[in-house]
Amino acid sequence: MNKASQPTINDVARLAGVSKKTVSRVINNSELLNGDTRKRVEQVIAELGYTPNPQARALALRRNFVIALIHDNPNAQMVLGVQHGLLEVLRDTEFELLVHPVDRGDPEMLGEVRRFLERQRPYGVMLLPPISENDQLAGLCAEIGCRYVRMGSAPFDVPQHMVASNDRETVRHAIAHLIEAGHRQICVIAGPRGFRSALERQSGYEEAMTAAGLPFDRTWIAPGDYTFDSGIRATERLLDLSPRPTAIFSCNDEMAAGAIHVARQRGLEIPADLSVIGFDDTTIASHIWPPLTTVRWPIVTMARAAALKLIGTGPGDHGDEHALFLSTLIRRASVAAPSS
Amino acid sequence: MNKASQPTINDVARLAGVSKKTVSRVINNSELLNGDTRKRVEQVIAELGYTPNPQARALALRRNFVIALIHDNPNAQMVLGVQHGLLEVLRDTEFELLVHPVDRGDPEMLGEVRRFLERQRPYGVMLLPPISENDQLAGLCAEIGCRYVRMGSAPFDVPQHMVASNDRETVRHAIAHLIEAGHRQICVIAGPRGFRSALERQSGYEEAMTAAGLPFDRTWIAPGDYTFDSGIRATERLLDLSPRPTAIFSCNDEMAAGAIHVARQRGLEIPADLSVIGFDDTTIASHIWPPLTTVRWPIVTMARAAALKLIGTGPGDHGDEHALFLSTLIRRASVAAPSS
DNA sequence: TTGTATGCGTTATCAT
DNA sequence: ATGATAACGCATACAA
């Protein structure tokens, strides 16, 4: 055993007086093993502080012990929340986290991801919205033969491959909250076309209005793309409506911040003259003035669950069933009764 | 060649009618190669779409072609900015990005990182503040034999191992900006003890005040820990001073947001009654009301430069010299002349 | 300039 | 239940 480098399986085998294969069996928890030899080998492993070399395992198994995070999500807090949740469960395992952002707009995207997966052969891959909604991407993972879990605003895959929140339902609650407060003309700043989250959140709005017997108009739904600037533009449009809306539901916090800016520029007090609800509960929601009522989804919890599905030991997992995670309305100071 | 799997170096060698070693030489840009055979091999490589297997290379070279990002930074935008910059230059290389957060408070931290480095053998490691300030960590990287670059608010290592911004100087400008506007009683919300960034930023304040011949008091410097809540507490303390400060410099944006909250609660208008300057130019700075004057440091650029140093081909790099990156004062709407 | 033999640390095959 | 031997795909030492 070379003192300079780390102990290998050979060192363990020699010191335990067994073959490499036996040590390998111990490492991989093989069933067919004499209890005594196992104990002896484990003893030596502990003494040496031996750890299997990940690169060698990866080569032999043609499978890398890493989880790949594939995303095209511009929300830093969300991406980092996911990394946090993932790493929390990966921390005490042999797995590492590989980050691989992609460009949804790139026509080469799928080919690029394929090369990535074929080269790295990750054990599992975590797909973040909005790219998680791409069925071809999911299909690619399946084809390459690596586990995958998709994160989304609603279940659009089987539980085994999905961690989802209930955006639509939570938005219904949020709108109902507004209606209870006395609002009738509730407008919405929508999310980008084609995003499932945007669809779910807007549907939640429509369902809540309909359920309450409240009429609403196409013009009440202003287009947005989840950016601050689009929130500004949308709000300007909405506040030009007459009669003016008394409440605005924004499909994310960033655009809600834009709404607050515009309101303030127009001399409108929040929440006295205009109530606002956001979505995501990013830092800005609690740090802006007034503190924003918003919807929080349990991102870290979802990521933890996803990691469990990814590294779980197969179809026996509990995780296979549980794929839905409830968002909650965080009530702060941006909602009040409309000033008649 | 097995159709199901990817082409290997053997396939290339056979089709090109050369030995594996020759192919290997082509891959690794060996000097001693006949131009013809190189062309022929490259041709076959292109036809086959061959890519060297990273796991096999890692095993043979005892060095993994990944860059590890080690950090304990709670600022999501900063961490993601760094990931962005790093990946921008890694994108067209053979390198991948491994994310490895650590816990500064954990006494086992160093041992844990050692195991990580010994197991993964990353090609290079990127150290983010504040953990980048830990000399033992840097020493560990050197000992293990992997390249490292430390990111910080000031140079505290040789250029080869450092990308730094000039926090102190930029804060001097920021304070000077306040002084020019007519402020005399300028207070500061400090950063956490022991953080180099906190030290640099506070020093910048003190130097600027001294240079302008302005007196200042210990009580003008309120302790903070970079969190929103600490910004609130610090500002309450500061606004209780009499006479009241006309301007506050906060060592980061998050605490500045807290300052704005407190000011608003006390009925103070910003910037009319109180000017505020932050640091970092995070999203909240531009989205809060009023838009916050703040200091922006070129995080993505720094990360790009760091990546270049990390994967660069040795001491010949230009990157070895260039290690300082200038921050700039972003003037928005939170600074005005003091109302006498 | 190119090829041969061998090693890297692990797992898989097929014996025993 | 355990072991000898051959992969896995690439790089290095040493020849030629």
Side-chain angles (χ1 to χ4, degrees):
Chain A
M1 167 179 166
N2 189 335
K3 282 191 61 182
S5 70
Q6 295 150 250
T8 76
I9 198 171
N10 289 307
D11 302 317
V12 177
R14 189 158 30 74
L15 265 65
V18 297
S19 75
K20 295 162 57 166
K21 184 58 200 169
T22 301
V23 179
S24 176
R25 289 201 177 90
V26 172
I27 297 169
N28 295 293
N29 290 312
S30 169
E31 299 302 328
L32 12 154
L33 258 182
N34 184 313
D36 276 354
T37 51
R38 152 160 292 156
K39 280 235 184 312
R40 189 151 36 96
V41 172
E42 282 173 343
Q43 170 99 20
V44 175
I45 288 179
E47 282 171 6
L48 252 42
Y50 163 76
T51 315
N53 177 310
Q55 284 79 35
R57 295 189 79 181
L59 180 58
L61 289 170
R62 278 179 291 298
R63 162 169 293 233
N64 209 340
F65 279 48
V66 302
I67 301 300
L69 174 61
I70 297 185
H71 75 91
D72 65 336
N73 191 304
N75 182 333
Q77 256 182 269
M78 177 165 161
V79 175
L80 238 76
V82 169
Q83 292 187 8
H84 184 86
L86 252 25
L87 284 158
E88 220 170 89
V89 355
L90 264 36
R91 162 172 298 277
D92 297 313
T93 72
E94 63 216 313
F95 293 95
E96 301 290 338
L97 181 64
L98 218 51
V99 177
H100 192 86
V102 297
D103 177 5
R104 182 179 44 252
D106 184 358
E108 304 283 337
M109 189 269 288
L110 236 41
E112 196 277 324
V113 173
R114 173 186 290 275
R115 276 192 300 280
F116 167 71
L117 294 178
E118 283 177 346
R119 283 171 51 90
Q120 293 306 126
R121 295 205 160 273
Y123 192 90
V125 3
M126 172 77 169
L127 269 15
L128 287 206
I131 200 70
S132 62
E133 295 159 20
N134 187 322
D135 288 328
Q136 295 184 54
L137 224 193
L140 187 55
C141 296
E143 180 192 334
I144 303 280
C146 63
R147 301 178 178 208
Y148 66 93
V149 167
R150 308 161 77 173
M151 185 166 172
S153 325
F156 44 77
D157 203 330
V158 296
Q160 186 188 358
H161 294 307
M162 192 83 223
V163 289
S165 62
N166 57 336
D167 283 18
R168 184 186 300 222
E169 184 185 343
T170 317
V171 171
R172 278 206 307 264
H173 291 323
I175 302 298
H177 176 52
L178 252 17
I179 294 173
E180 272 170 39
H183 294 277
R184 293 295 171 266
Q185 188 170 356
I186 304 168
C187 291
V188 8
I189 307 177
R193 297 200 157 279
F195 278 39
R196 183 62 182 255
S197 60
L199 174 65
E200 293 295 324
R201 293 168 196 182
Q202 182 172 331
S203 299
Y205 161 78
E206 292 170 359
E207 290 177 9
M209 294 296 273
T210 304
L214 255 33
F216 61 93
D217 197 78
R218 278 183 49 107
T219 60
W220 291 19
I221 303 176
D225 60 9
Y226 284 164
T227 66
F228 180 75
D229 285 340
S230 78
I232 293 207
R233 288 192 301 275
T235 307
E236 277 165 351
R237 235 172 98 165
L238 259 20
L239 292 185
D240 281 342
L241 252 35
S242 95
R244 213 179 56 203
T246 61
I248 290 181
F249 166 68
S250 166
C251 282
N252 80 350
D253 288 344
E254 194 113 338
M255 297 192 298
I260 289 176
H261 263 228
V262 173
R264 203 175 302 277
Q265 279 168 333
R266 298 201 176 192
L268 264 31
E269 279 294 317
I270 292 177
D273 302 320
L274 181 72
S275 289
V276 176
I277 292 187
F279 202 109
D280 281 347
D281 193 31
T282 52
T283 334
I284 192 156
S286 48
H287 294 182
I288 208 171
W289 187 271
L292 189 66
T293 293
T294 187
V295 175
R296 172 191 299 164
W297 44 322
I299 293 182
V300 177
T301 307
M302 291 170 76
R304 259 194 306 251
L308 254 19
K309 285 175 196 277
L310 252 17
I311 71 176
T313 46
D317 288 346
H318 277 299
D320 280 2
E321 308 306 325
H322 189 45
L324 191 63
F325 298 81
L326 304 185
S327 308
T328 50
L329 183 68
I330 309 290
R331 302 183 186 200
R332 288 199 268 249
S334 62
V335 172
S339 54
S340 55
Chain B
M1 166 180 166
N2 189 336
K3 281 193 58 183
S5 70
Q6 295 150 249
T8 76
I9 197 171
N10 289 306
D11 301 317
V12 177
R14 189 159 28 76
L15 265 64
V18 298
S19 75
K20 293 162 57 166
K21 182 56 204 171
T22 302
V23 179
S24 176
R25 287 203 177 89
V26 173
I27 296 170
N28 296 296
N29 289 313
S30 170
E31 299 301 328
L32 10 155
L33 258 182
N34 184 316
D36 276 354
T37 52
R38 150 161 294 156
K39 278 237 184 312
R40 190 151 35 96
V41 171
E42 281 173 345
Q43 170 100 20
V44 175
I45 287 180
E47 282 172 6
L48 253 42
Y50 164 76
T51 316
N53 177 309
Q55 285 79 36
R57 294 189 79 180
L59 180 58
L61 288 170
R62 280 178 289 297
R63 164 168 290 231
N64 207 342
F65 279 50
V66 301
I67 301 300
L69 174 62
I70 297 185
H71 81 269
D72 64 337
N73 192 303
N75 183 333
Q77 256 181 269
M78 175 165 164
V79 175
L80 236 77
V82 170
Q83 291 187 10
H84 184 86
L86 253 24
L87 284 158
E88 220 170 90
V89 356
L90 265 36
R91 163 173 297 278
D92 296 315
T93 72
E94 62 216 314
F95 292 96
E96 301 289 339
L97 180 64
L98 218 50
V99 177
H100 192 86
V102 298
D103 176 5
R104 182 178 46 250
D106 184 359
E108 304 283 336
M109 188 269 288
L110 237 40
E112 194 276 326
V113 172
R114 174 186 288 276
R115 275 192 301 280
F116 167 70
L117 293 178
E118 284 178 343
R119 283 171 52 89
Q120 291 307 126
R121 295 206 162 272
Y123 193 90
V125 3
M126 171 77 169
L127 269 15
L128 287 207
I131 201 69
S132 62
E133 294 159 20
N134 187 322
D135 288 329
Q136 295 184 52
L137 223 192
L140 187 55
C141 294
E143 181 192 333
I144 303 281
C146 62
R147 300 179 177 206
Y148 65 93
V149 168
R150 308 161 77 172
M151 184 167 175
S153 324
F156 44 78
D157 204 331
V158 296
Q160 186 188 357
H161 294 306
M162 192 83 222
V163 288
S165 61
N166 57 337
D167 283 19
R168 185 187 298 224
E169 184 185 343
T170 316
V171 171
R172 277 207 309 265
H173 291 324
I175 302 298
H177 176 53
L178 253 14
I179 294 172
E180 271 170 40
H183 294 276
R184 293 296 170 266
Q185 188 169 357
I186 303 168
C187 290
V188 9
I189 307 178
R193 299 201 155 281
F195 279 38
R196 183 64 183 254
S197 60
L199 174 65
E200 292 296 324
R201 293 168 196 183
Q202 183 171 330
S203 300
Y205 161 78
E206 291 170 359
E207 289 176 11
M209 293 297 273
T210 303
L214 256 31
F216 61 93
D217 196 78
R218 277 183 49 107
T219 59
W220 292 19
I221 303 175
D225 60 9
Y226 284 163
T227 65
F228 180 75
D229 286 339
S230 78
I232 290 202
R233 287 191 301 274
T235 307
E236 276 165 351
R237 234 171 100 164
L238 258 21
L239 292 185
D240 281 341
L241 253 35
S242 94
R244 214 178 55 203
T246 61
I248 290 181
F249 166 67
S250 167
C251 282
N252 80 349
D253 288 343
E254 194 113 339
M255 298 191 297
I260 289 176
H261 263 228
V262 174
R264 203 175 302 276
Q265 279 168 334
R266 298 199 176 193
L268 263 33
E269 280 294 316
I270 294 175
D273 303 319
L274 181 72
S275 288
V276 176
I277 293 186
F279 201 110
D280 279 348
D281 193 30
T282 52
T283 334
I284 192 153
S286 47
H287 293 182
I288 207 170
W289 186 270
L292 189 67
T293 293
T294 187
V295 175
R296 172 191 298 164
W297 44 322
I299 294 183
V300 177
T301 308
M302 291 170 76
R304 259 195 304 254
L308 254 18
K309 283 177 196 277
L310 254 15
I311 70 176
T313 45
D317 287 346
H318 278 298
D320 279 3
E321 308 306 324
H322 188 47
L324 192 63
F325 298 81
L326 304 184
S327 308
T328 50
L329 183 67
I330 307 290
R331 302 183 186 199
R332 286 200 268 250
S334 62
V335 172
S339 53
S340 53

